[in-house]
Amino acid sequence: MKEREKFSSRLGFILVSAGCAVGIGNVWKFPYMAGKYGGAAFILIYLVFLVILGWPIMVCEFAVGRGSQKSCATSFKVLEPKGTKWHHYGWFGMAGNYLLMMFYTMVAGWMMYYCFRCLRGDFSREALDATATGERFSEMLASPQTMAFWMIVAVVISFGICILGVQKGVERITKVMMIALLGLILVLAVHSVRLPGAAEGIRFYLIPDFKKMRETGIGDVVFGAMSQAFFTLSLGIGAMAIFGSYLHKDRSLTGEAMNIGILDTFVALMAGLIIIPACFAFGIEPGAGPSLIFITLPQIFNQMAGGRIWGFLFFLFLSFAALSTVIAVFENIISFAIDLFGASRKKAVAVNIVLIIVLSLPAVLGFNILSGIQPLGSGTTIMDLEDFLVSSNLLPLGSLVYLMFCTQKNGWGWKGFIQEANAGKGKKVPAFVRGYMTYGIPVLVVIIYLKGYWDTFAPRAAAEHNPALLVIWMGVAIAFLGLICWFAFGGRRKDS
């Protein structure tokens, strides 16, 4: 059997894995959540949860990938005890990757389109207020041709990189992209903090105000920080495990996971340092929500000296962040065909490039031709459904599977996990975290999962005066949890 391709360098592994973790959530969601929940106080709590929640799950996912030398399509089957059912999760993991790309490729296309528009000077020809910039964003959403074109551009570029292989394509080009991303973010942050009036935004962002946190609601702030720390690393669908399978055993996984988490956090923090001081400098509300990127920021760039260039550089940075994630997930998707069917890389790319484009069209059309389809209630889109399935279901439940597989006796078990995670030089998983990883983190993940359902459907049930709606959806959530327990306990127990 052909030996599995490996990364050529440790730096390549760190940058590619960080590229998968660094995405729109770091730049789009993190700054507005920091703005909404009180700035620095939120960031401190977020960093705590990143260490105690995100890092251990990442180590588990890397360990399963490196231990099996496979993608999530077959990794559980390689490592599971005979007679157990963990391997069934492989289908859900694969579905998660496809579902993520069914709308993420479209969002990557948005970033590239806005990069092009900034370079063309679309936002600097006249004074733009929130209404005007909002109208331009709505015009993009209303045009299926524009959205489909830029989505296809993102798909073709990303698969074009993947077809070159792990070292010559994914590793080499993502390294360049990530280094450029880090350079751009530093230049943009320095420029932002030097704007007249930015000092107040810097204080808001970097000096904790626990009084403001109490006014917002301590519970809301803590849960928001916990959720952001959990979702920022894209854990649970094998997107990280695939890079573990390409990693040599000369370095322990604990230290590598910490490096990736630090890099991911650095990008998120610097994105906030770009956006929030600029918002304060121009009198814009920093907690404005997702519209911050496409409606608020073009107003800011329009008012800046040299705003055309700064807008182009900002959306170029966003394009790199989005494409680094798309490339990473596409590599995972390609590996499914290679691991399951023995397909060549070229054949896997040829099939999937068509498949992903077709599967991405419903999200594109959901904002225009198919806008009448509102699967999660009034005002929702097809993209909202796809995002809900991934973010509120497959990511938390998949993370729970990886945790339980690595710690439960009828799974790979603590002994197999710790041997793989601690192999090589570097930091080791300390023995004292075993109980916390076995029982504590799963409880936190279940809380995040059920709270996500509650936050999604409780307001709709209240608005429609239909409590049965909430009962039904919470029942669905509990049923999915039962399915995970079936994966975990549906076979014979491993002898300990």
Side-chain angles (χ1 to χ4, degrees):
M1 187 175 70
K2 186 179 177 181
E3 185 179 351
R4 195 168 187 81
E5 192 174 1
K6 304 292 184 185
F7 286 112
S8 64
S9 66
R10 180 188 178 198
L11 178 63
F13 164 74
I14 292 172
L15 289 178
V16 172
S17 300
C20 181
V22 170
I24 304 305
N26 296 72
V27 187
W28 182 340
K29 192 175 181 182
F30 182 84
Y32 87 73
M33 287 192 72
K36 178 180 179 181
Y37 289 122
F42 167 84
I43 294 171
L44 284 175
I45 300 170
Y46 163 81
L47 292 174
V48 170
F49 280 114
L50 195 69
V51 172
I52 68 172
L53 188 61
W55 163 75
I57 299 173
M58 184 185 291
V59 176
C60 288
E61 194 164 323
F62 278 145
V64 171
R66 192 170 73 171
S68 65
Q69 294 289 289
K70 299 291 183 182
S71 68
C72 73
T74 56
S75 57
F76 291 99
K77 191 171 185 178
V78 171
L79 299 175
E80 69 181 357
K82 186 177 180 181
T84 54
K85 301 183 185 296
W86 297 94
H87 60 277
H88 290 293
Y89 179 72
W91 297 105
F92 290 84
M94 288 189 287
N97 283 265
Y98 279 102
L99 274 168
L100 178 60
M101 290 298 99
M102 285 166 64
F103 65 90
Y104 206 97
T105 51
M106 176 186 70
V107 176
W110 293 354
M111 303 304 172
M112 297 172 70
Y113 178 54
Y114 264 65
C115 182
F116 168 73
R117 294 188 69 178
C118 284
L119 185 62
R120 195 171 62 182
D122 286 4
F123 301 115
S124 58
R125 290 174 181 164
E126 56 181 312
L128 297 177
D129 58 16
T131 301
T133 52
E135 287 174 354
R136 281 160 173 73
F137 183 58
S138 297
E139 287 169 5
M140 180 192 74
L141 297 181
S143 172
Q145 297 89 345
T146 299
M147 294 233 289
F149 172 78
W150 287 98
M151 176 270 290
I152 291 170
V153 169
V155 171
V156 171
I157 289 174
S158 301
F159 270 125
I161 292 168
C162 289
I163 201 172
L164 299 174
V166 174
Q167 289 186 16
K168 295 181 180 178
V170 175
E171 180 180 359
R172 183 172 63 183
I173 295 174
T174 303
K175 278 167 65 174
V176 173
M177 195 178 293
M178 286 297 294
I179 291 169
L181 182 154
L182 294 171
L184 282 171
I185 203 170
L186 287 171
V187 170
L188 288 163
V190 169
H191 175 262
S192 184
V193 300
R194 295 180 64 197
L195 290 170
E200 185 180 351
I202 297 170
R203 283 193 295 272
F204 170 81
Y205 191 57
L206 298 181
I207 300 176
D209 184 352
F210 294 104
K211 181 180 178 181
K212 184 175 179 60
M213 188 179 81
R214 286 194 298 272
E215 292 172 357
T216 306
I218 294 175
D220 289 341
V221 175
V222 169
F223 185 78
M226 182 168 66
S227 299
Q228 178 65 12
F230 179 77
F231 291 117
T232 188
L233 298 173
S234 302
L235 301 169
I237 56 174
M240 286 294 179
I242 185 61
F243 300 119
S245 76
Y246 296 145
L247 184 63
H248 294 284
K249 292 182 181 284
D250 57 344
R251 301 291 307 185
S252 70
L253 296 174
T254 307
E256 306 304 78
M258 289 178 68
N259 290 332
I260 293 161
I262 289 169
L263 192 54
D264 177 79
T265 304
F266 172 77
V267 172
L269 293 175
M270 294 300 288
L273 204 56
I274 293 169
I275 293 171
I276 289 179
C279 285
F280 274 82
F282 291 97
I284 302 294
E285 171 57 50
S291 61
L292 190 69
I293 297 295
F294 296 107
I295 298 175
T296 305
L297 288 175
Q299 298 173 57
I300 293 175
F301 294 130
N302 185 54
Q303 298 174 60
M304 283 183 185
R308 177 175 176 176
I309 298 301
W310 292 114
F312 165 72
L313 291 176
F314 179 75
F315 282 104
L316 180 63
F317 152 62
L318 280 177
S319 298
F320 285 162
L323 287 174
S324 65
T325 301
V326 173
I327 292 165
V329 178
F330 278 1
E331 177 59 30
N332 207 18
I333 287 173
I334 291 167
S335 73
F336 299 157
I338 294 172
D339 290 346
L340 279 174
F341 309 114
S344 67
R345 179 171 288 268
K346 288 183 179 179
K347 185 177 290 186
V349 168
V351 171
N352 278 291
I353 197 169
V354 176
L355 186 60
I356 293 292
I357 289 172
V358 172
L359 290 174
S360 299
L361 288 176
V364 169
L365 301 178
F367 288 95
N368 37 75
I369 295 173
L370 301 179
S371 60
I373 299 175
Q374 300 178 358
L376 293 178
S378 178
T380 63
T381 65
I382 293 172
M383 173 185 168
D384 291 326
L385 173 63
E386 293 167 348
D387 186 27
F388 172 73
L389 290 173
V390 176
S391 299
S392 298
N393 289 275
L394 290 169
L395 292 182
L397 293 178
S399 295
L400 191 61
V401 169
Y402 276 101
L403 271 167
M404 294 172 71
F405 184 67
C406 291
T407 58
Q408 296 296 318
K409 291 181 179 179
N410 71 315
W412 193 19
W414 183 261
K415 183 177 179 181
F417 160 69
I418 208 72
Q419 184 177 347
E420 184 61 52
N422 288 346
K425 299 176 182 178
K427 295 179 177 64
K428 312 297 183 184
V429 177
F432 68 82
V433 302
R434 179 177 181 176
Y436 170 66
M437 288 182 65
T438 304
Y439 304 108
I441 300 181
V443 169
L444 289 176
V445 173
V446 170
I447 290 171
I448 291 172
Y449 168 66
L450 293 177
K451 182 72 160 51
Y453 263 78
W454 181 273
D455 289 346
T456 300
F457 295 106
R460 292 187 181 128
E464 298 175 18
H465 304 289
N466 184 9
L469 178 67
L470 180 60
V471 173
I472 290 169
W473 279 108
M474 293 306 293
V476 170
I478 293 170
F480 282 140
L481 275 176
L483 183 62
I484 296 304
C485 291
W486 180 75
F487 289 152
F489 305 114
R492 73 167 181 84
R493 294 188 65 82
K494 182 179 176 181
D495 296 333
S496 57

